[in-house]
Amino acid sequence: MHIDLDTFFVSVEQVLNPELKGKPVVVGGRPDRRGVVASASYEARASGLHAGMPLSTASRLCPQATFIEGSFPKYRDASQKFMAILADFSPFLEPVGLDEAYLDATGFESIYGSMGQMAVAIKQRIKDELRLCASVGIASCKVVAKVASELSKPDGLLEVAAGEESSFLAPLSIAKLPGIGKKTERILRGLGINTIGELSIMPLSALKSHFGAFGELMYRFANGIDDRKVEPPSAAKSISRETTFGKDTKDRSLLKATLRYLSERVGADLRQRSKQARCVTLKLRYADFTTITRSHTLRLTSDTDQTIFDTGLKLLNKALAQEKQPVRLIGIGVSNLTEPGRQLDMLDSSTQRLEQLNRAIDRIRQKYGFTAIQTGRTLLLKDIFPETEGGYTLHTPSLSR
Ligand code: TTP
Ligand code: MG
């Protein structure tokens, strides 16, 4: 089964404020700010709105829509409850993002009578407990289940019988096939391929020569062949946080304060997962949308805010010296994650002291909220961003975690 919640961010907002039901609603930000639509209700989609569309365009197409900034913690809570319901039905659960999951229900359907009845029971529990609508696709493999759930929306349920995979897919537009983005779609249409059926009868060699290994995957998907298993998520390979500024900026102290805050968010996440990092990466997007990343590999792995920030700051200073444009977006991340337990520096106890300090700060923040204890540097953000118990709410509240 592939299960996906309908208009997820919007639906969560509608549960909290039922007056918004049945109306054009957009989550992503206020129409006069920059940013894009994260989620749009069906009433808003009727005016041509869709995820990823700039808010300014959205408000021009649908001025009567209610625009909501949203807040990530609400969606994370709903997501956790959603996944917990699914886990009651089968232990073979693979969450994808916040509002989507694959469930291998093989064998468990006998409890409910059939796979279809099990899906009805899942949808009912989600409705009863979360007051949200889920759409479910059932098929013998992941790709077909995903296409089916998407096609069944809203509040849908669609089962593709074994053996019917390719005839189910054949009449659909190539844009419906997972993995085919705007660019691939354009190329395929240029080749005269508009439906999944047309794609499925292309010679494999032709697809391979146009698209390489991805061509083969596309060919298999188009024929309803997909042997990927439903797998529990593997541990994160990297952790990062980024934010777009309300206005492009050259203000060094704002850049540093934001970098410090994002470093602390990354550090807290890293320590919560009991990991250490070896590589720190800074990301900058300039006013003209040029995006750069700069990485540094640490001599010793670390999980402290200070190390992440210090490394990020060096990379930032270097980058700013080379490029004079204002900055649109800043981000910091860590990768090459390892388990803790490494060689200590015999002569230098400062690392251990920093680690102890971070553990103490983590405990204070767990109890009193993230902004309860701050460095002088991030205090600057107090005047710019609203504070909640979870931390500062940066430019895009619906994604600010
Ligand atoms: P989706 O499941 O793609 O979209 P949706 O749930 O809003 O609508 P649908 O009924 O078609 O499933 O994504 C889930 C949530 O993820 C969505 O509510 C908001 C967030 N999101 C973004 O923040 N940015 C994006 O570009 C997309 C596609 C989703
Ligand atoms: Mg969804």
Side-chain angles (χ1 to χ4, degrees):
M1 283 186 203
H2 178 263
I3 305 121
D4 188 301
L5 297 173
D6 297 339
T7 59
F8 178 48
F9 286 8
V10 163
S11 298
V12 171
E13 297 297 336
Q14 287 171 328
V15 169
L16 297 169
N17 179 6
E19 273 176 27
L20 295 172
K21 282 196 181 132
K23 292 188 180 151
V25 178
V26 170
V27 174
R30 280 186 264 141
D32 56 331
R33 294 272 211 91
R34 61 194 201 185
V36 295
V37 174
S39 179
S41 70
Y42 279 91
E43 293 76 11
R45 291 185 199 187
S47 305
L49 271 61
H50 58 78
M53 175 183 273
L55 291 167
S56 53
T57 315
S59 79
R60 197 157 36 74
L61 290 176
C62 190
Q64 70 278 22
T66 305
F67 287 83
I68 301 173
E69 292 198 308
S71 84
F72 187 79
K74 282 192 239 178
Y75 313 138
R76 185 179 40 211
D77 284 354
S79 173
Q80 281 167 353
K81 290 182 182 137
F82 165 59
M83 297 299 173
I85 291 175
L86 298 183
D88 277 350
F89 285 84
S90 161
F92 306 109
L93 173 67
E94 179 180 334
V96 183
L98 288 175
D99 85 326
E100 188 184 334
Y102 292 97
L103 194 71
D104 186 347
T106 313
F108 296 95
E109 75 274 21
S110 58
I111 304 171
Y112 304 90
S114 68
M115 223 29 118
Q117 283 166 306
M118 180 170 171
V120 170
I122 292 176
K123 280 164 62 80
Q124 195 58 47
R125 266 198 68 188
I126 293 168
K127 223 166 257 177
D128 291 344
E129 291 173 33
L130 306 178
R131 285 179 284 157
L132 296 174
C133 266
S135 293
V136 182
I138 304 172
S140 59
C141 67
K142 278 173 146 180
V143 68
V144 178
K146 179 161 169 87
V147 174
S149 78
E150 178 67 34
L151 204 67
S152 78
K153 277 176 180 289
D155 199 7
L157 170 53
L158 185 56
E159 183 166 0
V160 179
E164 310 270 294
E165 292 84 359
S166 42
S167 56
F168 162 72
L169 294 174
L172 304 175
S173 156
I174 46 166
K176 295 258 184 258
L177 199 65
I180 297 194
K182 284 268 170 296
K183 202 173 136 203
T184 311
E185 185 187 342
R186 233 181 357 253
I187 300 173
L188 288 173
R189 290 198 193 277
L191 296 168
I193 302 166
N194 294 297
T195 66
I196 300 180
E198 285 161 0
L199 180 61
S200 73
I201 52 172
M202 280 288 286
L204 177 56
S205 56
L207 288 174
K208 269 185 163 164
S209 72
H210 268 98
F211 301 100
F214 176 59
E216 178 161 2
L217 188 72
M218 226 162 34
Y219 176 84
R220 293 170 63 86
F221 280 7
N223 284 283
I225 303 165
D226 178 6
D227 49 20
R228 290 173 303 159
K229 295 212 160 32
V230 173
E231 272 170 320
S234 53
K237 289 203 170 66
S238 65
I239 298 171
S240 64
R241 293 290 186 278
E242 62 180 47
T243 190
T244 304
F245 292 105
K247 244 177 46 207
D248 299 343
T249 186
K250 283 179 143 184
D251 179 345
R252 292 259 176 158
S253 46
L254 174 61
L255 287 166
K256 284 182 197 169
T258 310
L259 182 67
R260 173 76 209 190
Y261 178 68
L262 296 172
S263 301
E264 290 179 16
R265 301 300 292 198
V266 168
D269 199 342
L270 189 61
R271 292 188 295 279
Q272 215 209 330
R273 295 171 200 243
S274 306
K275 289 275 169 33
Q276 299 253 342
R278 184 173 286 284
C279 185
V280 177
T281 302
L282 172 82
K283 175 174 170 184
L284 290 176
R285 179 168 300 142
Y286 295 105
D288 71 352
F289 276 82
T290 319
T291 308
I292 61 153
T293 57
R294 296 286 179 267
S295 297
H296 178 81
T297 301
L298 303 169
R299 198 172 54 86
L300 295 171
T301 62
S302 170
D303 67 0
T304 65
D305 300 344
Q306 196 64 36
T307 309
I308 299 168
F309 172 67
D310 286 346
T311 312
L313 186 58
K314 276 193 204 123
L315 296 168
L316 176 68
N317 285 334
K318 231 189 257 170
L320 293 181
Q322 283 164 6
E323 178 60 65
K324 301 294 173 215
Q325 277 194 73
V327 173
R328 178 184 172 89
L329 169 148
I330 188 167
I332 184 92
V334 293
S335 56
N336 274 3
L337 307 186
T338 59
E339 303 298 326
R342 61 178 155 61
Q343 189 125 17
L344 294 172
D345 198 320
M346 216 161 57
L347 301 174
D348 180 10
S349 66
S350 61
T351 308
Q352 280 149 279
R353 287 170 56 80
L354 268 179
E355 287 175 355
Q356 280 167 6
L357 174 66
N358 273 207
R359 273 197 295 277
I361 291 174
D362 288 342
R363 280 200 299 275
I364 292 170
R365 286 179 163 166
Q366 251 161 32
K367 201 159 172 195
Y368 300 105
F370 199 88
T371 51
I373 180 162
Q374 300 193 46
T375 57
R377 217 184 262 287
T378 59
L379 276 178
L380 176 73
L381 303 177
K382 231 179 160 64
D383 300 329
I384 308 174
F385 300 113
E387 264 172 84
T388 60
E389 201 165 300
Y392 286 113
T393 299
L394 300 180
H395 181 64
T396 307
S398 66
L399 301 174
S400 196
R401 61 197 167 118

